[in-house]
Amino acid sequence: MTNRNWGIIVIGDEILSGRRQDRHLQKTIELLTPRHEGLQFAHYIGDDEAQIISTLKASMQEDAVVFSFGGIGGTPDDLTRQCAAIAAGMPLVRNSKAVELIEGRFGEDAYPMRIRMADLPEGCELIPNPYNQIPGFRIGQHHFLPGFPVMAHPMMEWILETHYPIETPADYVESAIYLHGTPESSIVETMEEMIARYQDIRFFSLPIHREGNGINLIEFGAKGKTSDVEMAMDDLKSKLAEMDVRWTEER
């Protein structure tokens, strides 16, 4: 398994105003989960040129695979293509392959407005769009997709399969136990100690409140290489026994 950093950027006033509900976050999580990968960040920004540029500049400095959704159309409020070019220090040029695709889709109706969607950062790679053939584009590990889920999500699947295939065999396991009647604050030091000792795996602590019966649980676990997780969980169980904390394998 390759531990990459992953992020999404969702662009559009319509998301921030609530006129449309974001569906990209959940879909990204859904696609990354079978790969034993998870998101490190998710940014939501409006149709503001300065904010888009600053967000993209910052994310381009990180070693992360990023999916950016929205703003690559041809209307005046679609700013992502221009902002991506500025953030990456590339000129915005008319991409001949994108022109071919857009003309093939719309014919003479591609002009004068739709053809603007072929103005892309120089040297970028195109991302195929099976829905209407209007491509997205890729700069390094940043992938720029339409805001419409029906277009963006198949494109994201193609990106993952083409550029980030699942590596097999994946020696990966996720293991958890359930702590009963223990406040989360009481295990903070234990968790910090485990994180410091086992730096190649990730720990998680999730409080669970069962309405109706008043039972509170903490799901406490680790994920990573099988042998490391097994060793860490054995160590954790021993520490909990010393603390007289009751735990079970099931809820």
Side-chain angles (χ1 to χ4, degrees), residues 4-10 24-25 28-29 32 37-43 59 62-69 141-143 145 156 160:
R4 295 186 176 93
N5 292 321
W6 301 83
I8 67 168
I9 300 172
V10 181
H24 302 306
L25 175 62
T28 305
I29 294 170
L32 291 181
E37 301 277 11
L39 279 174
Q40 276 66 54
F41 61 86
H43 299 311
S59 66
E62 300 187 32
D63 182 19
V65 180
V66 177
F67 297 102
S68 173
F69 302 96
Q141 294 192 109
H142 275 60
H143 309 81
L145 307 174
M156 183 164 52
L160 290 171

Side-chain angles (χ1 to χ4, degrees), residues 14-223:
E14 67 277 8
I15 299 295
L16 298 183
S17 68
R19 292 196 304 275
R20 287 188 181 171
Q21 299 299 310
D22 171 54
R23 291 166 53 191
H24 302 306
L25 175 62
Q26 187 58 44
K27 185 63 177 182
T28 305
I29 294 170
E30 176 187 318
L31 292 176
L32 291 181
T33 297
R35 300 166 177 272
H36 309 304
E37 301 277 11
L39 279 174
Q40 276 66 54
F41 61 86
H43 299 311
Y44 291 81
I45 53 179
D47 297 315
D48 179 273
E49 183 174 358
Q51 192 174 38
I52 296 171
I53 292 171
S54 64
T55 300
L56 289 175
K57 279 185 175 180
S59 66
M60 286 177 177
Q61 295 300 313
E62 300 187 32
D63 182 19
V65 180
V66 177
F67 297 102
S68 173
F69 302 96
I72 65 170
T75 58
D77 61 336
D78 288 316
L79 305 172
T80 304
R81 292 176 293 103
Q82 305 92 308
C83 292
I86 294 171
M90 298 174 170
L92 194 71
V93 299
R94 187 146 292 183
N95 184 289
S96 59
K97 180 59 178 177
V99 168
E100 180 182 334
L101 290 167
I102 294 170
E103 288 181 341
R105 175 71 173 82
F106 297 107
E108 293 182 358
D109 290 337
Y111 295 88
M113 304 305 295
R114 291 187 175 103
I115 201 64
R116 292 180 179 180
M117 293 184 286
D119 294 340
L120 301 172
E122 186 175 35
C124 70
E125 299 177 39
L126 299 187
I127 299 171
N129 180 345
Y131 186 83
N132 66 0
Q133 309 308 311
I134 310 304
F137 61 96
R138 177 177 188 240
I139 302 174
Q141 294 192 109
H142 275 60
H143 309 81
F144 296 88
L145 307 174
F148 297 104
V150 69
M151 301 180 193
H153 295 173
M155 296 169 75
M156 183 164 52
E157 292 184 41
W158 179 88
I159 292 164
L160 290 171
E161 292 170 1
T162 303
H163 296 289
Y164 309 99
I166 295 176
E167 299 179 5
T168 55
D171 180 15
Y172 177 93
V173 69
E174 183 172 324
S175 179
I177 57 177
Y178 297 89
L179 282 55
H180 296 254
T182 301
E184 194 172 26
S185 59
S186 68
I187 62 169
V188 170
E189 290 185 6
T190 300
M191 193 169 187
E192 290 175 341
E193 183 180 341
M194 298 294 290
I195 291 172
R197 180 173 298 179
Y198 301 96
Q199 298 185 13
D200 292 332
I201 60 179
R202 292 187 178 182
F203 291 91
F204 56 89
S205 172
L206 302 172
I208 301 170
H209 178 67
R210 290 183 172 180
E211 295 184 4
N213 59 16
I215 297 176
N216 292 300
L217 304 174
I218 298 175
E219 183 182 5
F220 195 178
K223 49 189 175 182

